[in-house]
């Protein structure tokens, strides 16, 4: 079946522009994670959803970053007034982990590479 | 805090050589440990995992053993192939958390024929 998909795959923005990055998780997956991966680094956690509820946004680097998952499936990560330091690959992952917090494998999308000029 | 440290790359090996990529961690409690792999042009994929001390994860000829006494989870493979060329990430997830992963910086492996 289809895996996690993300769009766009590449985004170039001018400093100060707003961007929206989309994630389509695997159908039926309860948990959804966003990560930020800077060049040459490992992914870093941004935020976590369980269905439509955003349970953890402790990794969002500033209040310019906003994420939503209104119907518990597709999620959007929005970055307002982009800065050069926002340039990175943004990864989305989904898993079957249930409300009890039992761990299950996270399936990652291909990522969106954001370049802010 | 929780963190993962893995050996820096790049690592270049000849085909059929033995591979070790070191990974150590710092965590409260007893985390679950993972190795993820990122092949060129592809997304991150889970390679193997271990959820408790002395567990050995294995997949595709790769192995890693959860060593609580040394807080390590080193990745090994007895005979690498050109197709193993990729970036390898060690990661942990704290038990009882929602499952978000904490990654190391990644180690790029290049295998030459």
């Amino acid at each position: 079946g289809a895996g996690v998909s993300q769009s766009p795959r590449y985004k170039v923005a001018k400093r100060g522009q707003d961007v929206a990055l989309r994630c389509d998780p695997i159908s039926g997956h309860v948990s959804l994670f966003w990560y930020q991966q800077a060049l040459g680094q490992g992914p870093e956690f941004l935020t976590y959803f369980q269905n439509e509820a955003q349970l953890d946004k402790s990794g969002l680097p500033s209040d310019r970053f906003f994420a939503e998952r209104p119907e518990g499936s597709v999620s959007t990560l929005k970055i307002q007034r982009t800065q050069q330091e926002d340039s990175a690959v943004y990864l989305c992952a989904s898993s079957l982990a249930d409300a009890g917090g039992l761990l299950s494998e996270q399936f990652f999308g291909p990522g969106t590479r954001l370049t802010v000029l | 805090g929780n963190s993962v440290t893995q050996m820096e790359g790049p690592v270049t090996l000849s085909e059929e050589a033995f591979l070790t990529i070191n990974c150590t961690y710092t965590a409260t409690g007893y985390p679950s440990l993972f190795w993820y792999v990122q092949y060129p042009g592809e997304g991150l994929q889970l390679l193997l995992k271990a959820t408790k001390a002395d567990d050995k994860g294995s997949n595709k000829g790769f192995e890693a053993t959860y060593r609580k006494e040394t807080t390590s989870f080193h990745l090994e493979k007895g005979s690498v192939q050109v197709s193993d060329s990729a970036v390898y990430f060690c990661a942990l997830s704290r038990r009882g958390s929602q499952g978000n992963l904490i990654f190391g910086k990644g180690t790029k492996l290049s295998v030459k024929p």
Side-chain angles (χ1 to χ4, degrees):
Chain A
V4 178
S5 61
Q6 293 185 245
S7 61
R9 292 292 310 276
Y10 303 91
K11 176 69 179 177
V12 178
K14 292 184 179 177
R15 190 164 58 91
Q17 282 185 330
D18 298 349
V19 298
L21 312 180
R22 177 187 169 108
C23 172
D24 282 83
I26 294 172
S27 178
H29 277 197
V30 168
S31 295
L32 186 145
F33 302 82
W34 283 98
Y35 295 86
Q36 180 190 58
Q37 185 176 16
L39 188 64
Q41 304 295 314
E44 292 192 356
F45 170 75
L46 292 177
T47 188
Y48 163 69
F49 289 87
Q50 187 179 96
N51 295 308
E52 70 279 3
Q54 188 176 21
L55 299 186
D56 188 344
K57 52 182 181 180
S58 62
L60 296 176
S62 79
D63 58 7
R64 296 185 294 104
F65 287 69
F66 172 76
E68 60 183 6
R69 194 186 184 198
E71 297 178 358
S73 55
V74 171
S75 178
T76 304
L77 176 66
K78 297 180 179 178
I79 309 173
Q80 297 177 323
R81 304 181 304 282
T82 52
Q83 304 294 315
Q84 284 190 324
E85 61 262 28
D86 300 335
S87 296
V89 176
Y90 291 85
L91 299 171
C92 175
S94 69
S95 77
L96 275 172
D98 63 18
L102 296 176
L103 297 180
S104 67
E105 179 180 350
Q106 291 186 30
F107 294 84
F108 282 80
T112 295
R113 182 178 297 276
L114 173 65
T115 302
V116 181
L117 302 177
Chain B
N2 303 299
S3 65
V4 174
T5 303
Q6 61 182 105
M7 64 186 285
E8 293 192 16
V11 174
T12 303
L13 296 174
S14 297
E15 206 164 22
E16 298 184 5
F18 183 85
L19 169 71
T20 300
I21 301 178
N22 290 337
C23 171
T24 56
Y25 67 90
T26 302
T28 53
Y30 302 100
S32 293
L33 301 173
F34 307 82
W35 277 100
Y36 277 81
V37 59
Q38 189 169 37
Y39 297 104
E42 299 185 17
L44 280 167
Q45 301 174 26
L46 178 64
L47 180 60
L48 53 84
K49 69 179 181 181
T51 57
K52 60 184 188 296
D54 300 324
D55 266 3
K56 178 185 283 187
S58 61
N59 186 23
K60 300 182 181 179
F62 291 88
E63 292 183 340
T65 300
Y66 189 141
R67 299 287 188 202
K68 183 176 145 214
E69 62 276 10
T70 54
T71 61
S72 65
F73 193 55
H74 304 321
L75 182 68
E76 297 182 334
K77 186 174 186 182
S79 176
V80 294
Q81 305 300 311
V82 172
S83 57
D84 294 326
S85 298
V87 182
Y88 292 82
F89 293 91
C90 185
L92 70 81
S93 180
R94 288 182 300 111
R95 195 171 304 281
S97 72
Q98 67 247 5
N100 54 289
L101 295 162
I102 298 168
F103 288 88
K105 291 186 177 182
T107 303
K108 183 175 182 180
L109 170 66
S110 296
V111 181
K112 307 295 185 186

